[in-house]
Structure formats: structure tokens, C-alpha cells
Amino acid sequence: MKVFDVFLRNCVRYDIKWPITPYPKGKVRDFALKYGLGYKRVALGYYSFEDDERVLIDEIIDRFLK
């Protein structure tokens, strides 16, 4: 839960005007659509983690999409 809490806080933290707009793919995109968080926020929040932490976030996102 701690990793997911940090992920959600990062999604809110990165809600600023960036000159680029990253578009997430796969489950992360589906999560952004389902919960209305916005592509840019979710992508920046997701990619702010290292690879091993992203595995945990992927598992949590899978549970939210079911």
C-alpha cells in the first residue's frame, strides 16, 4: 500500500504544465481512463519509480482494473 500511496501522490504532484505529454500504454492507460486521472499525471507518476517498484504497481493496477 505504501508504494501505491506514493504513486497516487506523484500523480497529483506532477499535475503541472510540461512541454511534453507522455502517453502511457497498456494497463497504466486503462487505469488512467477508468479513474479519470489524466494520461500525463499517471505516466509521470508511474515512470518516477524504478523497474522493480513498477512491478508492484502493475500488480496493484491489475487488481483495480478487475
Side-chain angles (χ1 to χ4, degrees), residues 37-48:
L37 296 173
Y39 289 132
K40 188 185 302 185
R41 286 199 239 175
V42 172
L44 292 173
Y46 181 76
Y47 290 113
S48 66

Side-chain angles (χ1 to χ4, degrees), residues 9-62:
R9 282 192 266 151
N10 284 344
C11 287
V12 175
R13 180 180 302 144
Y14 294 126
D15 187 25
I16 57 179
K17 302 292 183 205
W18 291 81
I20 59 169
T21 301
Y23 292 100
K25 297 178 183 174
K27 296 177 235 178
V28 179
R29 180 184 58 100
D30 296 340
F31 180 80
L33 282 173
K34 183 173 182 178
Y35 293 102
L37 296 173
Y39 289 132
K40 188 185 302 185
R41 286 199 239 175
V42 172
L44 292 173
Y46 181 76
Y47 290 113
S48 66
F49 287 99
E50 298 294 325
D51 291 335
D52 56 336
E53 292 172 322
R54 282 189 217 143
V55 171
L56 294 172
I57 294 172
D58 285 338
E59 292 172 4
I60 295 168
I61 286 175
D62 276 341

